[in-house]
Amino acid sequence: MTFKLTRRGILKAGAASAATLAMPSIVTAAGKSDFSGKEIRLLTWSDNTGLAILENIAKPFEEMTGAKVIADRTGSTSEMVAKLRASGGKAQYDVITLAGVGAVELAGDGLLAKPDLNMLPNLEKVDPRFRSGAEGHGIGYLLWTGGMIYNTKTFKEPPKSYAEMWDAAHSGRLFLPPATWTDALDTIFATGKMIGGDGTNSEAAFAKLAELRNGILTFGENPGQISELFRSDALDIGGVYAPAFFAKELANPAESNMGATYDLDEGFFADLMYTIVPKSKPGDDDVVHAFIDFTLDDKVQGVMAEAVLNGPINQQAVMSEAAKASPFIIKPEQLSEKAVVHDKSFIADVRENWIATYQQTLS
């Protein structure tokens, strides 16, 4: 069963960088491009996905407009949601990039503003399915995709099912995503499908996941540690996890021992990430909208896709031939029946309970 409604932070940026490309001019609805003296406070991920945002979006935006981007970074969408809730309405951030489920939750809390679509001209180039969500409070950013990571020395061919994680041969050589990541919710869903349900059969899925408890070497809070464990041949398999974390390693499997696959019997997971604007924010509307619009620029979308293996949603994204051919960059037109695109409202409803039960089951 595949939900057809809408649904989450790589490593170093690739050889291409937005700073090295001829970037477009920033033009707002008011026709201004000079934001000297203005600031944007950005909340994004603390891993190298966040670093790629700073390098390929924030830095060139600063250079082009004179605005200053002040970034705060944290580990997961759950932590971003908690930060904004804890602010008590205090103006703390202007822009946040996060998983779709986080946007739905914060919109439901009444903490988000609705961006003015008329101030986002690049939105017209975005696949209509991915322009906005969370009742208009979220603006599409990139497609995050999750599948299975495997050891190319252990597997001569990519695994075909998440069931491989239950093979006794991999006990002690297995990793799973940390509880607070959306990838953990995907792992629960995938387990439910693997045992014959539709993915929402969480009670049975947790009972099955409990069988892995003693075979888990680590949880993947630190993608750098995961890549080192694969390189040292200490891990065989893990998931659901995003190939996006391992752009460099996947390009050199002979050295990293790392492979990734989306071609799984239970499907792979696709999530539209959003840019959101808190209702209480310190910055000005014009610079905030210009920054969001810049995230959707043709060249920015292309360079971010290549740097972090996320799918571009701008249909005119400028991508290298290597990026176009990459099996790890899923474009919107490749979202076949194998793609599980969650109903975000459902995931928002079950998220806290699933996180707590996942921790209890596997700790």
Side-chain angles (χ1 to χ4, degrees):
M1 176 178 177
T2 300
F3 285 94
K4 292 300 182 183
L5 300 177
T6 16
R7 187 186 106 66
R8 175 191 168 182
I10 265 181
L11 270 87
K12 294 179 181 177
S17 164
T20 65
L21 295 173
M23 302 306 282
S25 61
I26 297 291
V27 180
T28 68
K32 298 178 181 179
S33 59
D34 184 3
F35 298 126
S36 298
K38 294 190 176 184
E39 295 179 344
I40 293 179
R41 295 189 175 270
L42 167 69
L43 178 61
T44 189
W45 293 285
S46 58
D47 56 29
N48 284 337
T49 305
L51 286 178
I53 291 171
L54 300 186
E55 177 66 22
N56 298 313
I57 301 177
K59 182 178 178 180
F61 183 81
E62 287 182 325
E63 292 172 350
M64 293 170 53
T65 67
K68 183 172 180 56
V69 180
I70 301 171
D72 186 9
R73 298 163 62 208
T74 192
S76 68
T77 289
S78 295
E79 292 173 14
M80 294 180 194
V81 170
K83 273 179 173 283
L84 197 57
R85 284 173 170 166
S87 70
K90 178 182 176 182
Q92 190 171 2
Y93 301 111
D94 295 302
V95 177
I96 302 173
T97 55
L98 78 177
V101 62
V104 171
E105 290 186 37
L106 291 170
D109 291 345
L111 295 175
L112 302 183
K114 288 187 177 182
D116 184 348
L117 304 188
N118 293 319
M119 296 180 72
L120 304 173
N122 279 323
L123 206 58
E124 293 184 5
K125 305 174 189 177
V126 172
D127 185 309
R129 295 173 294 170
F130 304 125
R131 290 177 180 172
S132 66
E135 301 296 328
H137 295 90
I139 300 300
Y141 170 61
L142 288 167
L143 286 173
W144 181 265
T145 46
M148 179 160 282
I149 311 298
Y150 64 91
N151 189 321
T152 54
K153 291 178 68 175
T154 304
F155 295 91
K156 301 309 177 186
E157 298 292 335
K160 288 293 186 181
S161 170
Y162 295 100
E164 286 284 356
M165 294 193 293
W166 279 263
D167 189 322
H170 308 310
S171 182
R173 296 174 58 84
L174 167 71
F175 80 96
L176 290 178
T180 58
W181 289 16
T182 302
D183 309 78
L185 307 182
D186 294 338
T187 298
I188 299 163
F189 199 93
T191 302
K193 293 189 71 178
M194 184 197 75
I195 59 178
D198 64 0
T200 66
N201 50 321
S202 60
E203 186 174 345
F206 283 121
K208 187 66 178 175
L209 282 167
E211 298 174 11
L212 298 179
R213 182 187 297 115
N214 296 327
I216 300 169
L217 178 63
T218 187
F219 292 91
E221 291 93 345
N222 185 339
Q225 180 191 47
I226 295 298
S227 64
E228 177 57 27
L229 288 170
F230 272 101
R231 190 197 64 77
S232 62
D233 198 25
L235 282 173
D236 282 343
I237 197 168
V240 174
Y241 215 77
F245 288 115
F246 307 111
K248 181 179 177 182
E249 289 82 355
L250 291 171
N252 189 4
E255 181 178 318
S256 68
N257 298 326
M258 294 188 76
T261 182
Y262 295 121
D263 187 16
L264 296 152
D265 292 343
E266 301 83 8
F268 69 93
F269 294 83
D271 180 21
L272 176 62
M273 296 181 287
Y274 288 130
T275 304
I276 58 172
V277 178
K279 185 174 290 185
S280 297
K281 68 181 192 312
D284 295 340
D285 279 345
D286 54 355
V287 66
V288 168
H289 281 83
F291 182 86
I292 296 173
D293 193 57
F294 189 59
T295 69
L296 299 174
D297 170 75
D298 306 12
K299 294 186 177 73
V300 170
Q301 284 268 303
V303 77
M304 282 297 293
E306 186 161 7
V308 300
L309 305 184
N310 287 165
I313 57 173
N314 181 329
Q315 296 170 305
Q316 299 177 29
V318 178
M319 303 174 68
S320 69
E321 292 305 313
K324 291 177 184 177
S326 172
F328 307 120
I329 301 175
I330 302 296
K331 296 80 176 173
E333 61 269 22
Q334 294 173 304
L335 292 179
S336 64
E337 289 188 0
K338 283 231 168 184
V340 178
V341 184
H342 289 309
D343 177 340
K344 291 184 178 63
S345 296
F346 165 74
I347 293 297
D349 286 343
V350 303
R351 186 181 69 87
E352 290 188 10
N353 176 262
W354 280 20
I355 287 173
T357 307
Y358 184 91
Q359 290 174 318
Q360 295 165 5
T361 300
L362 298 171
S363 62

